Amino acid sequence: MRIFNFPNDSAMGRLMRVLALSLATVAAMPLASAAEPSHALAMYGEPALPPTLESLPYADPQAPKGGTIRFAEPGGFDSLKPWVLKGNAAWGVGVHVAEPLMLRSIDEPFTLYCLLCETVDTDPDRSWVEFTMRREARFSDGTPVTAEDVIWSFQTLGTQGHPRYAGAWAKVARIAPVGARGIRIEFAEKDRELPLLMGMRPVLKKAQWEGKDFAASSLDPPIGSGAYVVDRVDPGRSISFRRNPDYWGRDLPLTRGLYNFDSIRYDYFADSNAMFQAFKAGEIDVWRELNGVKWATEYDFPAIASGAVVKEDIPHQRPSGIMGLVMNTRSPLFADWRVRQAMILAFNYRFINATLAGGSDPRIASYFSNSTLAMQPGPATGREAELLAPFAAGLPPGTIEGYALPQGSDRLLDRSALREAVGLLAEAGWTVGADGILRNADGAPFAPKILLNQSGSAMRAGSEVQQIVDIYVEALKPLGIAPRVTLLDSAQYIERTNRFAFDMTWYERGLSLSPGNEQALYWGTASADQEGSKNWMGVRSPAVDAMIAEAVNATDLDGHVAAVRSLDRLLTAGRYVIPVSYPQVSRIAHAARLRHPQRLPIYGDWPGFLPEVWWSEPPAPAN
C-alpha cells in the first residue's frame, strides 16, 4: 500500500494558505473598486493561480496520452441526458462530453478558471456577470460555441431541465448577448455565488435540440465541446467515451495534463459484489473500497500478489458530508423531533461499526465533519449565536446549547439508550400495547417503510446497507417497532425517491469546502415539495433558509464559516439522518499501469481528479 505524505506541502497546509490569502485579500479589497475582466473568479479573495499559469498544480503537463480506463457502475441506465429529471442517465455524459464556461480548481475551496470563456467580469456586489467567449471554442462536430448557445442552454436548463438548475435561474433578471462574443447576466436577487454558478452551467448545442422535447429522456448522443465524445452505447449495460483528437481546448494551459486516456468505459453490474468480482478478474481497472476492514484483510487476491493491482490511500481535507438512514418528515411518523431522536438512540452505531467495519472509521458527527466548517462542540458563541438567536424559540433542543450523538454500546442492544427512546416516544404519543406493538392514540402501528436500492449506492454496497438495516431492525424490536423493508432495482428506487415515496431510506450527500446555493436544493424549504430535489428529509425551516442565504451572501470568509457552522447545527440537531462512518482517506485499488501526479489537490479523490489527471503508462517496448 502506498500512502502519500506531504510534510512540507500538505493538503491542509495549502488549504490554510489559500484561506488565509482569501481573508487578507477580502479585508483589503475596496468594496467600490471597479470591476475588470479576469481569467478567473473566486468566491472570496483572489484566485491562487495567475493568468500566466502553465497548468493546474495537481496535473502533470508531461503525462502521456493513450490507453483505456474501465470503471464499474451499479444498476443500469436508459438515458444519455443527465440534465433532465426523466430517465436514469448514464454516468459520465455530463462529465466528459459537455463543458461549462469555467473549470473548477479542486485545489482551492471555490475558484473557477475560464475555459469556454476567455474572460469573466463582475461588479463588487456581484449583481451581474459578463463572460466573453473564446473565438476558438468548438463543439465536437466542429461548429463554434457561441453566445447564442450559452444563452439558450441557460434558459432551457433553468426552465425545462432538472430541478437543480431552477433555483439559480429563478434569480436571473436578464440574460443577453454583448457584442459578438459576450453574454451579460443580471441578477434579480442578492446572491454573491450566482456568477460562479453561471460559470459552472453546462453549455449545450442549441441546434441539436431545437424542435425536440428537451425535458424528455433520450438515448441520442449529445454533442458537446468536451474532450470526449460518446463512442459506443449498450443501453443499460455499458457506455464508452472516445477522446476527440480535434478537441478545441487541447492546447490550453488550463487543460495541460488533463484528459489523457484515449478511451473511458463504464460497465454496469447488478450489484457491488458482481462489480468487485469483475475488478478482481481484471475486467475493471479501478475500485474504491469503502470498508476499512475489507481494505486491510480481503485484498489478497492474485492480481494484488502479482503486482498487477496496487493499493493507494488518497488523503483529503473535504467535509465528511452526510451518510446514513434518512427519515422523511413528510411522513406523520417522523414529523416530531422526539421520534427521530428515539430512532437515533435505537441505532447502536458502536456495535454496528465494530461488527461490520471493525470500528476502523470515525462516525459522522455533523454534516461538515472533518473540516473547519463543522459545528464546534458545546454552545454556539459569537456570530453563530447571533445568527441563531432570532429563531431560538422554534429550534429543537441542542441546536444552540450543543448536540452530540449517543455513545452506543458494544452489545446489540444499548439498553440505556432504548429506555431513553421509550420515554421520548411516549412524549410524542407512541406507546407499546398489550400486543407488544408501538401504537399511537388512534391505534395505528409505528411501522416505517424502509426503502433500499438493491444495487447499493455511491458509497455503500447494497449488501452492506442491508446488513446495517438488518441489525437495526433487530434493535427496534424491543421498542415494538417492526419496519417493512423493501428492496428495489435502481430504476424503481430512483422513481420512488424522486417523489419521496418512503419513510426511511439510505441517504448520501457529499459536501464541499464551498457550500452555497446547492444547500437550498439539499434542505431548503422551496425544495421540500420539488420532485427530484435532494431534500429527501423534507426540511422546512426558516432558520435553515436564513443560514443558506447568509452563507451565499457573506462578504468574507469568517462570515461564511459562521453561517455554515450555524447551518450545520440546525441540520444535525434537526435529527433528520442517522449517520454512519466516513473514511478520512479515499482507498483506491487500481491497475498498476495507471498513474497520477504525486502532488494531490486539497479535495483529494473528487470530481476532477480521477480520471481527469490520471494516465496509463505505455507498455514497455518488446525486446
Side-chain angles (χ1 to χ4, degrees):
M1 182 192 313
R2 296 169 59 199
I3 300 178
F4 291 87
N5 296 307
F6 301 91
N8 298 317
D9 191 24
S10 70
M12 177 60 84
R14 296 197 304 276
L15 173 59
M16 291 298 102
R17 288 196 296 275
V18 169
L19 296 184
L21 175 63
S22 297
L23 277 172
T25 306
V26 171
M29 185 185 300
L31 293 181
S33 63
E36 61 182 46
S38 175
H39 71 297
L41 185 61
M43 187 64 183
Y44 301 108
E46 294 296 320
L49 303 178
T52 56
L53 68 94
E54 295 183 1
S55 69
L56 291 169
Y58 51 90
D60 183 351
Q62 305 304 317
K65 304 290 186 182
T68 296
I69 187 168
R70 301 167 298 172
F71 295 98
E73 290 291 323
F77 66 92
D78 57 13
S79 172
L80 299 182
K81 287 177 71 175
W83 311 289
V84 300
L85 181 60
K86 293 181 181 178
N88 183 15
W91 174 253
V93 176
V95 176
H96 305 308
V97 174
E99 286 183 315
L101 290 170
M102 307 184 76
L103 184 68
R104 181 170 188 162
S105 168
I106 57 172
D107 204 39
E108 301 174 59
F110 198 0
T111 301
L112 305 181
Y113 292 87
C114 281
L115 180 60
L116 284 172
C117 65
E118 187 172 71
T119 61
V120 60
D121 193 4
T122 186
D123 65 322
D125 291 333
R126 300 199 171 177
S127 62
W128 55 265
V129 64
E130 285 190 8
F131 301 98
T132 301
M133 301 295 295
R134 294 187 189 270
R135 291 182 175 87
E136 66 270 32
R138 293 289 186 274
F139 289 111
S140 59
D141 63 357
T143 57
V145 182
T146 67
E148 184 180 4
D149 289 305
V150 175
I151 293 171
W152 175 87
S153 296
F154 288 11
Q155 290 175 332
T156 304
L157 290 169
T159 56
Q160 302 177 50
H162 193 282
R164 65 177 175 269
Y165 300 116
W169 180 250
K171 299 178 182 180
V172 172
R174 180 174 178 268
I175 183 170
V178 177
R181 295 184 291 121
I183 303 102
R184 181 180 176 93
I185 306 172
E186 298 172 358
F187 303 115
E189 297 182 24
K190 183 181 179 182
D191 186 329
R192 296 183 57 82
E193 191 187 24
L194 287 173
L196 291 99
L197 294 184
M198 295 299 109
M200 293 192 297
R201 288 287 181 268
V203 177
L204 308 177
K205 183 177 172 65
K206 177 183 177 181
Q208 181 180 17
W209 304 105
E210 283 188 308
K212 300 178 182 178
D213 180 4
F214 184 79
S217 173
S218 172
L219 282 168
D220 292 337
I223 297 170
S225 63
Y228 291 87
V229 297
V230 175
D231 188 15
R232 298 178 181 176
V233 178
D234 185 355
R237 301 182 65 179
S238 70
I239 181 170
S240 61
F241 301 88
R242 173 176 48 83
R243 187 162 59 87
N244 181 6
D246 298 320
Y247 170 49
W248 75 271
R250 64 187 180 276
D251 296 323
L252 290 178
L254 192 64
T255 64
R256 287 175 185 159
L258 304 185
Y259 319 130
N260 300 312
F261 295 100
D262 282 346
S263 177
I264 302 173
R265 178 184 172 103
Y266 298 88
D267 287 302
Y268 284 73
F269 296 85
D271 55 44
S272 58
N273 182 61
M275 293 162 60
F276 188 54
Q277 294 306 315
F279 172 69
K280 290 168 62 176
E283 299 170 10
I284 301 300
D285 295 321
V286 177
W287 182 259
R288 290 179 172 94
E289 181 53 66
L290 306 170
N291 187 302
V293 171
K294 289 178 64 177
W295 186 245
T297 62
E298 296 187 17
Y299 281 71
D300 55 359
F301 47 89
I304 291 281
S306 70
V309 169
V310 296
K311 298 167 64 180
E312 293 194 43
D313 282 9
I314 307 292
H316 65 81
Q317 300 298 331
R318 63 181 183 268
S320 63
I322 192 69
M323 176 166 52
L325 286 167
V326 66
M327 292 170 277
N328 186 353
T329 60
R330 303 171 188 84
S331 166
L333 297 180
F334 295 120
D336 193 315
W337 72 265
R338 293 170 295 188
V339 173
R340 301 195 297 272
Q341 176 66 12
M343 297 296 282
I344 291 172
L345 287 162
F347 188 90
N348 189 356
Y349 168 78
R350 183 175 166 187
F351 175 82
I352 291 173
N353 191 40
T355 302
L356 300 182
S360 58
D361 289 329
R363 190 178 194 183
I364 295 171
S366 75
Y367 288 57
F368 292 90
S369 289
N370 195 52
S371 77
T372 57
L373 298 173
M375 69 176 194
Q376 302 301 295
T381 59
R383 180 58 178 158
E384 293 171 55
E386 293 174 5
L387 291 172
L388 293 169
F391 307 96
L395 300 180
T399 307
I400 296 177
E401 308 92 323
Y403 175 81
L405 294 164
Q407 293 297 310
S409 166
D410 56 5
R411 298 187 177 186
L412 171 63
L413 300 180
D414 182 355
R415 298 195 181 279
S416 62
L418 290 175
R419 285 193 292 271
E420 185 178 348
V422 168
L424 287 169
L425 289 168
E427 289 178 19
W430 296 93
T431 56
V432 177
D435 57 1
I437 297 175
L438 188 69
R439 300 179 185 274
N440 62 15
D442 296 328
F446 190 99
K449 299 174 184 176
I450 301 179
L451 200 66
L452 298 180
N453 186 342
Q454 64 186 16
S455 297
S457 66
M459 293 294 290
R460 281 290 191 277
S463 58
E464 186 178 352
V465 172
Q466 193 162 358
Q467 285 179 305
I468 291 171
V469 171
D470 287 345
I471 296 174
Y472 187 40
V473 167
E474 287 299 310
L476 289 171
K477 286 181 179 179
L479 297 177
I481 299 173
R484 291 167 285 175
V485 181
T486 301
L487 283 173
L488 297 176
D489 63 35
S490 293
Q492 292 174 312
Y493 182 78
I494 291 171
E495 189 276 330
R496 289 278 294 273
T497 53
N498 272 346
R499 57 186 180 90
F500 317 119
F502 58 86
D503 293 321
M504 301 179 74
T505 191
W506 192 258
Y507 188 70
E508 295 173 1
R509 293 292 171 260
L511 297 174
S512 75
L513 290 163
S514 57
N517 276 275
E518 80 285 350
Q519 303 297 299
L521 181 62
Y522 294 167
W523 22 74
T525 297
S527 67
D529 295 319
Q530 186 179 64
E531 288 194 4
S533 84
K534 306 298 185 182
N535 190 354
W536 287 11
M537 60 276 279
V539 180
R540 294 180 179 86
S541 166
V544 166
D545 296 339
M547 295 312 113
I548 295 171
E550 187 74 22
V552 299
N553 285 306
T555 57
D556 58 45
L557 191 61
D558 285 344
H560 183 257
V561 170
V564 176
R565 287 181 174 178
S566 299
L567 174 64
D568 199 14
R569 285 179 174 272
L570 291 164
L571 295 173
T572 304
R575 301 156 168 92
Y576 303 112
V577 179
I578 307 172
V580 292
S581 62
Y582 71 96
Q584 291 178 299
V585 297
S586 295
R587 308 178 185 102
I588 301 179
H590 61 83
R593 63 180 172 81
L594 301 181
R595 298 283 194 275
H596 62 77
Q598 291 287 314
R599 167 74 151 77
L600 298 176
I602 60 172
Y603 274 96
D605 179 32
W606 189 256
F609 177 66
L610 174 62
E612 284 83 351
V613 304
W614 289 54
W615 67 86
S616 180
E617 282 294 314
N623 292 331

